[in-house]
Structures are given as C-alpha cells and as structure tokens.
Amino acid sequence: MSSKKSFREIFKGLKREPFLIPLPYFNSKKAQFCLDCVGGCALVCPEHIIIKKEARQPYLDFKERGCIFCRECVRVCAQEHAGVLEGIREDCIDTWVLIDSQTCLSYQGVVCFTCKDACPENAIVFKGMFAPRVHASCTGCGRCTSSCPSQSILFVERKT
C-alpha cells in the first residue's frame, strides 16, 4: 500500500464555508461590531434580502430579489453601530459577478435574455444573441440572480 494520497483524497476532506455576499457600503475593518448587533439592517430592508444570524456578520440573499441601494441599512447601522455600513461609499456590492457558462441557457444555444432584462445598469452584454458577459459597470445588485432560470449567476469574493 502506498502512503501517497491522491489529490481527490486530499481535497475531499477540505470543507469551505460558502461565500456570503457582503452588504453594500460594508467596511470590513469594522466587521466585529456586527457580531453583537441584533440586525436592524435586516429589519429595515424593504427587499428582505439581508440575513443576520446571531453572532455573525449580515449577508445578502438574492434568491428572490436584489438590492435597490435604498440605504436604509446604512441609516439604521449609523444609529446602532458606529457605521459599519458607510454611506460615503458608492452604490456597489464588493464582489465579482460571473456567469457560469456550463449552466447558462444562452451558452447552451437557447435564446435567453432574462439576466440582461433584469439588469438596471445594462451591465450584461451578449456576443450576438449568446455568450453573455458581465461588464465592469456591474454594481453587484443581484437583480439578475433571481430572474435567471438556470441559476447561473455567481458571486465571487473580490480579494484585494
């Protein structure tokens, strides 16, 4: 028997936490203040997309709708916790947004523009009628996510 492990065996035991989409205006340097907060941001969100669990940072859930950048979360955060959410920041969620070409209907030859139609920034561009790409003007609002019939919109942590 060989003591060498295959790559599959090595990586099989690793468990990664799923990437949780941060709130807009989020200052990660003040994130520890979120841990003791009761989640006023989640209570005031008109879209009901902010999830706040006890002793954890809040995150966004785009399954049913996206962020409209109303800044209600910023207002309540300023009242409760010294501005973990900073209103001076631009209307943008600090992530990379990608389209999974393996599951996207357009990449499979089906005419589908639901993500483009849902995008308020017109940040999803197509090559002809197929092969959509997310343009740099994307704010990460997530409105395309809930409209996508194949759940092909991916949010990836933006590492700086």
Side-chain angles (χ1 to χ4, degrees):
M1 283 239 156
S2 171
S3 62
K4 291 184 181 180
K5 290 185 176 183
S6 70
F7 280 117
R8 179 172 278 167
E9 291 172 314
I10 293 169
F11 290 112
K12 187 176 177 182
L14 295 178
K15 293 194 178 181
R16 290 189 60 197
E17 291 282 323
F19 173 63
L20 301 178
I21 303 166
L23 275 60
Y25 325 111
F26 189 74
N27 181 343
S28 60
K29 293 178 182 152
K30 296 182 180 180
Q32 73 276 5
F33 293 114
C34 290
L35 303 180
D36 295 327
C37 181
V38 295
C41 55
L43 297 173
V44 300
C45 178
E47 298 299 309
H48 307 289
I49 60 172
I50 300 175
I51 307 298
K52 172 65 171 97
K53 296 182 179 177
E54 189 176 329
R56 301 196 111 197
Q57 292 177 19
Y59 62 92
L60 299 173
D61 180 351
F62 292 143
K63 285 185 196 124
E64 296 183 24
R65 56 188 66 82
C67 183
I68 59 172
F69 299 111
C70 67
R71 295 179 177 251
E72 285 298 308
C73 55
V74 174
R75 183 187 56 76
V76 76
C77 184
Q79 294 170 354
E80 294 180 5
H81 283 294
V84 174
L85 302 179
E86 299 175 336
I88 59 170
R89 292 178 179 234
E90 64 182 302
D91 290 348
C92 189
I93 296 168
D94 197 22
T95 61
W96 294 110
V97 181
L98 307 170
I99 298 174
D100 183 353
S101 63
Q102 298 297 307
T103 60
C104 173
L105 295 176
S106 289
Y107 276 95
Q108 309 313 314
V110 176
V111 177
C112 178
F113 295 107
T114 56
C115 59
K116 180 177 179 51
D117 293 342
C119 182
E121 302 298 325
N122 203 24
I124 299 175
V125 293
F126 282 72
K127 183 176 182 180
M129 293 177 60
F130 305 103
R133 300 229 188 274
V134 180
H135 190 266
S137 62
C138 175
T139 62
C141 73
R143 293 193 222 171
C144 58
T145 306
S146 61
S147 70
C148 179
S150 59
Q151 301 173 350
S152 298
I153 310 295
L154 307 174
F155 288 79
V156 181
E157 184 176 9
R158 187 183 296 218
K159 299 206 180 198
T160 53

